[in-house]
Amino acid sequence: MSRLVAFAAIQGGYKVVSQVEGQLEKALESYDASTSIGFGNTAYYLPVIYSLTGMKCETLEDLKKPLDFARGLLPPHVKGANHLPYLGPLLDAGMAGLFAYEVQEAIRILNEPDFYTFTEDPDIDAGKIWVGPADDTILRKRGVEFVDGSAPGFAAVVGAAPDAETAKMIIEDYQKKSLYIFCAANHNGKTAVEQCLQAGMQIGWNTRIVPFGPDISSAIFALGFANRAAMAFGGVEPGDYRRMLMYNKNRIFAFVNALGDVGTEWAVAAAGCVNWGFPTLADTDIPEILPTGICTYEHVVANVPHDEICQKSVEVRGLKINVTEIDIPLAFGPAFEGERVRGADLHAQTGGGKTQCTELVKMADMGEIEDGKVEVVGPDITDLKEGDTFPLGIYVQIAGREFQTDFEPIMERQIHHLINYIQGIMHIGQRDISWVRISKAAIEKGFSLKDIGVVLHAKFHQDFQKIVDKVQVTLYSNKEDVDKLTKRARGEYKTRDERVDTMTDEDVETFYSCTLCQSFAPSHVCSVSPERTGLCGAYNWMDCKASFEINPTGPNQPIQKGKVLDAELGRFEGVDEFIKSASKGAIESYNFYSMVNAPMTTCGCCEAIAAMLPSCNGVMTVGRDYAGDTPCGMKFTTLAGVMGGGASSPGFVGHSKFNITQGKFILGDGGLLRMVWMPKILKDEIYDRLNARGKQMGVENFADMIADETVGVTEEEILPFLQEKGHPALTMDPLIA
Amino acid sequence: MFGTPTPLQSEANLGIMKEDHVNIILHGHEPVLSEMIVAASQTKDMLDYAKEKGANGIQLGGICCTANEILQRHGVPPAGTFLQQELAIITGACDAMVVDVQCVFQALANVAKCFHTKLITTHPIAKMEQDNVIHIEFDEHHAMEDAVKIVRMAIDNFTKRGADVVIPPYKETQIAGFSVESIKYHLGGTFRGTYYTLNDNIINGRIRGLAGVVGCNNARTKHNEEHIMLVKELIKNDVLVLSTGCSALACGTHGLLTPETAAVYCGPGLAEVCETVGIPPVLHLGSCVDNSRILLAATEVVKAGGLGNDLRDLPAAGSAPEWMSEKAIAIGQYFVASGVYVVFGYHMPLDGAPVFKNHLYNELEGIYGGKWDCEPDPIKHAHKIIAHIDKKRKELGIDKARERVLMDMADRQALGME
């Protein structure tokens, strides 16, 4: 039956390529050939074309080349009898179709710039449900989840289920499995995304249901995302098509679900996906391709019943997913983390300025607590009326032979996402400024406060097996108990903060490595010290220490600091030895406290990137959530493209936002006082800490001396501002000796 | 030099000759002059000249391995195997037969003398003594002129046909033109082309193993029978056959080189793979001097991974069931020394030398990993090959059904990127 698939896909290839050739011709008649085209804020041009062929499409004119290439890939049609081999031609036709689809989407965006929202979440109230291609900000934020495995892969769902209930069942199942669901195409005008909305589900990147677009061509955004992840995090060079596709086969565990009748236009897309190692599972009776080879297992599986399609898809792709079965009446998983509980859906809430909501984790003696005991002290949620507020104290006691008080804040930080993982419950904030909103849907399904405890108990055991032996959770909902807990908690927070804030690199003999990203950025090795948190912002020294205790063979390994080779630039003998072996000889040495001299390597995951601004005698930094131009002449995404993949690039360094105000931040180059520019959004976020650290270094109101995009985005524009403010960098020693 | 073959459709057997066309048969082993004749016979000048002489066109056909050369690159249909060379003349429709070297019967001129056929020798080391033979020595500086001269001679000869023309109305369609490179392309396309696709299906057991079935026709056996019985038995047992030389021609004339054959003769696993890739279960890799292609393909299989580190580890074997030429022994030894188990059919002249026989049939395995064997019965012959393949599968640990491994993040990180 493969012959029929080949026949259909090759026909589809001709159809799609010809159609898009026509559209391009028309566009070239209506617009100037030099008109810019593109997928918004991205450094990867049209990503599928760029990643596989190296062609950079920036103007309408540029689109001709990939389309000609696609035309050239189209193989002869398959004969009825005595045909020539068709597997290779089939895959080529698929690729041709996908290139054409990407060009088609570029033309659509040119013709209808407002068709897609280009945001994380659609604007449903305005009737705009299609988000279109993910920009690089979304890519970096979400791509990391594919890197660390918190998103095991994605399901590309094309078409629509027979009804909204079925669509909900399938897609919710994928959510429970923590997969992303990339939706595109319609079946008889119906789309799975609209069915989700009908069934009352929230859609958008935050709930992992991504509404790319209503046509099959929009499915290209899923592949574009996968390929950009390979370039951004995997260090795969554009044009290295073989490595790109193998990377996808072995790292990005994705598959296609075709819901509805598969015509030639779907067939060509499915054939294209096989190049990536992404198999197709259909709910209709199409010809199957079962032998293995290009994909890990089967290539096309047909006639899959809707209630089996999730399980079957995961199996065919060869994906192992550990679903946490927790005994609560609601679904649970990372896909529900980004779900919101809006005003109209709200049943009751705690914290958020209305009442007090406090969380505290404390170590306990083994004999003192009872494992699995969850107690609600005070009224439960079921006793409350709609619209009520209530105070809440979440008090978790953990005992374990390997447990240390240092781990308390780490465990406490888990509470935020763990509660958020519960479907229909929203959690914001942390410590004594927490805010929990409980939806009506959750109450209908029988949610009780006790379930929070059940989740924390189960997940703490599961994720921290090595250090946790017993967990007991008490939930206080009486004002006096909560106030008492809050008072005690505030004392604890203060002690902890002082301990962490005052910890310096000199205080410890051991740093930690982080090679979590190394399977993606092979020569990159992060080293984390107390005063240089991981550049992704997710791991500080204490986290690494705990992670090592929990998993001694894991990605965080202790590094003995050894002899201090250069105290000012932060070079240590032990670290050098370690990185030499961990990077397999690619990197010999780097400095902790300098961006000018042999700076630390950068993977694609950094929160911010600093760059030198020579004429201001200072440096700038830009966070990944700022998409605009910067005085160094490169946007964040371009910088990350240049820097990522484990390069040590003098003059640039990746770092976390928190690191900016840490004591050793580029201290070898003059420290924080070199900072002359950062985006306003970042400046506002760390405003107080900037001033505090500035003051320590002898400059009052330092934050206001730093220029931002409202002042200018070139060195010439910001220099007068710096002079007017008397910025300290201007009078410092030259940055480059 | 003349380009890498890619799969194409053609036909095979004497039925490809056409009564109303000028028929030129190219016979021997060298592709050089025949390439030029293919080019010359397609020129407008020659076609017009043929029309002038009352023919509807020019039909080229091949015999023996020159046939395979022009089949692989140009789709020129072979008229027959080594043993059919005289038969092509006695159709009475062969207006010229051009021969170069090897496997050309000395008596061919005597047969040609009985008909109008012009017999043209082209090679200085392979002239014939009979006076009806024309010698046009191939000279690479004047290749096209020589080719035109030959074609013109054939056209002139069209009008001189004497005896009744009897062309047996038998021919089969075939897909030929496989090469190391084109197989790679067809196993994964421009972007993912790789022999791993093949390996994966060997590992999962759909394909049991590979057999190179090659070599001559032997006048002491029933024409083609050993080849065909052996090949059918192999593909029935899910062994993918790579074929060259007269063996490939035999498979072509028996219709085994069509993709449709897979569903008829193959075991279920091989049939499924053939269906997926769209290939026949027997792949035509060229002339008998292209046997190196089989070894190169086998090397690609080793390199693609999962099936050991050397040719000797592969679940594969070689076979020449109807061998007769000395060079078959040389090629066989080349395979044995490369680590391949080689089975010859008919007979091996070793019975007077038991020590040497033991050396070839047993001791060589310890040295090269490959060894000789001989088995005249084609079915037993097939099962010797299959037993060897099964032995190698066992050594590789792929003799049991593969489990479906589901991978978590850590497993994936351990996966290579190639």
Side-chain angles (χ1 to χ4, degrees), chain A residues 228-274:
Chain A
R228 282 190 295 160
M231 288 186 283
F233 305 108
V236 181
E237 290 294 322
D240 189 354
Y241 57 84
R242 199 179 158 71
R243 202 173 155 78
M244 171 63 63
L245 297 171
M246 288 309 284
Y247 182 93
N248 274 287
K249 181 186 175 196
N250 288 342
R251 291 283 189 279
I252 313 272
F253 272 45
F255 51 84
V256 182
N257 279 175
L259 304 178
D261 299 329
V262 178
T264 54
E265 295 178 7
W266 286 21
V268 71
C273 288
V274 170

Side-chain angles (χ1 to χ4, degrees), chain A residues 148-326:
Chain A
D148 67 14
S150 53
F154 67 80
V157 174
V158 296
D163 53 64
E165 277 314 299
T166 313
K168 182 178 172 181
M169 175 189 78
I170 294 172
I171 289 176
E172 205 169 80
D173 200 355
Y174 287 137
Q175 280 183 305
K176 284 182 203 161
K177 292 182 163 64
S178 306
L179 294 160
Y180 274 87
I181 304 101
F182 290 164
C183 303
N186 65 78
H187 175 239
N188 297 335
K190 286 190 293 182
T191 64
V193 164
E194 285 158 317
Q195 291 178 327
C196 287
L197 289 173
Q198 265 175 40
M201 299 170 82
Q202 289 185 20
I203 58 166
W205 280 94
N206 280 313
T207 50
R208 301 197 173 189
I209 307 171
V210 184
F212 273 138
D215 299 305
I216 184 67
S217 52
S218 329
I220 197 69
F221 301 142
L223 297 171
F225 181 83
N227 283 13
R228 282 190 295 160
M231 288 186 283
F233 305 108
V236 181
E237 290 294 322
D240 189 354
Y241 57 84
R242 199 179 158 71
R243 202 173 155 78
M244 171 63 63
L245 297 171
M246 288 309 284
Y247 182 93
N248 274 287
K249 181 186 175 196
N250 288 342
R251 291 283 189 279
I252 313 272
F253 272 45
F255 51 84
V256 182
N257 279 175
L259 304 178
D261 299 329
V262 178
T264 54
E265 295 178 7
W266 286 21
V268 71
C273 288
V274 170
N275 281 297
W276 270 255
F278 300 166
T280 294
L281 292 95
D283 63 348
T284 52
D285 191 10
I286 58 170
E288 297 193 308
I289 306 181
L290 302 179
T292 61
I294 309 296
C295 297
T296 311
Y297 296 109
E298 294 84 351
H299 297 85
V300 180
V301 181
N303 249 340
V304 187
H306 292 117
D307 54 351
E308 289 171 21
I309 201 163
C310 299
Q311 190 49 40
K312 186 84 187 162
S313 299
V314 166
E315 245 176 68
V316 166
R317 185 64 183 90
L319 179 57
K320 185 172 6 181
I321 296 177
N322 304 319
V323 180
T324 326
E325 288 296 342
I326 295 176

Side-chain angles (χ1 to χ4, degrees), chain A residues 446-615:
Chain A
F447 175 77
S448 139
L449 285 181
K450 197 165 186 277
D451 294 328
I452 292 179
V454 173
V455 164
L456 294 179
H457 168 259
K459 289 298 286 180
F460 281 168
H461 268 295
Q462 193 188 3
D463 297 349
F464 299 92
Q465 221 170 1
K466 186 89 186 344
I467 52 169
V468 170
D469 290 330
K470 284 181 168 184
V471 181
Q472 177 174 317
V473 184
T474 315
L475 297 139
Y476 298 105
S477 57
N478 286 319
K479 192 169 181 306
E480 51 276 27
D481 291 335
V482 176
D483 288 345
K484 213 166 97 190
L485 181 75
T486 307
K487 188 161 175 255
R488 179 175 162 209
R490 284 181 181 146
E492 294 284 348
Y493 302 152
K494 192 160 177 283
T495 326
R496 279 183 205 165
D497 287 351
E498 280 166 5
R499 183 167 146 63
V500 175
D501 285 350
T502 54
M503 189 182 272
T504 65
D505 286 1
E506 288 77 22
D507 292 345
V508 297
E509 279 311 311
T510 310
F511 294 165
Y512 287 91
S513 67
C514 182
T515 52
L516 194 65
C517 315
Q518 212 186 49
S519 58
F520 291 81
S523 59
H524 173 68
V525 191
C526 246
S527 304
V528 179
S529 71
E531 289 181 282
R532 198 185 194 290
T533 50
L535 49 78
C536 57
Y539 278 72
N540 66 28
W541 183 84
M542 199 67 93
D543 295 321
C544 292
K545 180 168 185 263
S547 158
F548 170 67
E549 309 260 350
I550 294 161
N551 180 6
T553 55
N556 300 110
Q557 292 295 318
I559 308 176
Q560 294 309 317
K561 208 162 67 170
K563 204 165 108 193
V564 180
L565 299 175
D566 190 327
E568 199 182 334
L569 295 178
R571 201 165 141 239
F572 308 95
E573 196 174 53
V575 175
D576 278 2
E577 274 168 27
F578 181 85
I579 52 178
K580 205 160 47 185
S581 73
S583 70
K584 295 167 189 80
I587 309 285
E588 293 272 319
S589 159
Y590 56 54
N591 295 315
F592 272 64
Y593 315 139
S594 176
M595 59 183 284
V596 179
N597 299 306
M600 197 179 282
T601 60
T602 301
C603 58
C605 321
C606 47
E607 268 192 318
I609 296 176
M612 289 201 310
L613 296 179
S615 37

Side-chain angles (χ1 to χ4, degrees), chain B residues 298-344:
Chain B
T299 312
E300 290 292 329
V301 169
V302 175
K303 280 201 275 189
L307 292 174
N309 301 315
D310 190 80
L311 286 176
R312 70 170 77 191
D313 301 332
L314 292 181
S319 162
E322 295 191 31
W323 77 280
M324 65 85 203
S325 170
E326 309 83 339
K327 76 182 167 194
I329 294 180
I331 295 170
Q333 178 62 19
Y334 172 35
F335 272 65
V336 168
S338 302
V340 180
Y341 171 61
V342 174
V343 191
F344 269 33

Side-chain angles (χ1 to χ4, degrees), chain B residues 54-341:
Chain B
N56 280 339
I58 302 169
Q59 176 67 48
L60 297 180
I63 294 276
C64 210
C65 283
T66 300
N68 284 324
E69 297 286 2
I70 51 181
L71 165 66
Q72 291 293 82
R73 297 196 181 82
H74 302 290
V76 173
T81 65
F82 154 72
L83 285 183
Q84 285 169 290
Q85 50 188 283
E86 289 160 323
L87 303 180
I89 295 176
I90 64 171
T91 56
C94 178
D95 301 305
M97 180 179 274
V98 184
V99 302
D100 48 68
V101 294
Q102 293 183 2
C103 300
V104 179
F105 292 166
Q106 285 299 307
L108 210 49
N110 300 340
V111 179
K113 207 181 277 181
C114 307
F115 295 84
H116 77 299
T117 305
K118 298 267 189 213
L119 183 61
I120 303 160
T121 56
T122 57
H123 210 284
I125 62 163
K127 295 182 187 172
M128 291 188 191
E129 73 273 25
Q130 292 96 328
D131 51 14
N132 62 321
V133 177
I134 304 154
H135 185 71
I136 300 177
E137 191 157 314
F138 172 67
D139 165 15
E140 61 268 28
H141 301 294
H142 302 97
M144 196 59 184
E145 288 150 52
D146 292 344
V148 168
K149 198 159 134 194
I150 290 167
V151 174
R152 189 175 285 273
M153 195 180 280
I155 297 170
D156 287 336
N157 204 27
F158 176 74
T159 53
K160 298 184 186 140
R161 284 190 191 173
D164 288 345
V165 169
V166 183
I167 299 172
Y170 304 111
K171 60 177 179 182
E172 287 286 345
T173 304
Q174 63 168 333
I175 305 298
F178 290 92
S179 59
V180 178
E181 298 78 3
S182 64
I183 292 176
K184 188 168 180 176
Y185 168 76
H186 279 289
L187 287 171
T190 305
F191 298 91
R192 287 284 310 277
T194 165
Y195 274 76
Y196 188 77
T197 314
L198 173 62
N199 290 17
D200 204 42
N201 283 291
I202 295 176
I203 295 167
N204 68 31
R206 279 192 173 86
I207 297 176
R208 194 171 193 152
L210 307 171
V213 180
V214 303
C216 326
N217 283 107
N218 194 316
R220 292 169 185 166
T221 64
K222 191 175 164 193
H223 186 224
N224 288 346
E225 191 174 79
E226 262 70 3
H227 286 298
I228 300 308
M229 284 177 73
L230 170 67
V231 166
K232 281 186 180 168
E233 188 65 15
L234 288 173
I235 61 179
K236 188 172 109 187
N237 286 285
D238 293 322
V239 176
L240 179 67
V241 174
L242 310 177
S243 191
T244 63
C246 286
S247 185
L249 294 175
C251 291
T253 53
H254 284 80
L256 294 179
L257 299 187
T258 62
E260 284 77 10
T261 310
V264 182
Y265 295 111
C266 291
L270 179 58
E272 202 177 9
V273 174
C274 288
E275 159 66 24
T276 301
V277 187
I279 47 169
V282 182
L283 302 183
H284 190 324
L285 269 93
S287 74
C288 59
V289 289
D290 286 330
N291 278 323
S292 49
R293 267 200 197 122
I294 297 182
L295 274 187
L296 285 174
T299 312
E300 290 292 329
V301 169
V302 175
K303 280 201 275 189
L307 292 174
N309 301 315
D310 190 80
L311 286 176
R312 70 170 77 191
D313 301 332
L314 292 181
S319 162
E322 295 191 31
W323 77 280
M324 65 85 203
S325 170
E326 309 83 339
K327 76 182 167 194
I329 294 180
I331 295 170
Q333 178 62 19
Y334 172 35
F335 272 65
V336 168
S338 302
V340 180
Y341 171 61

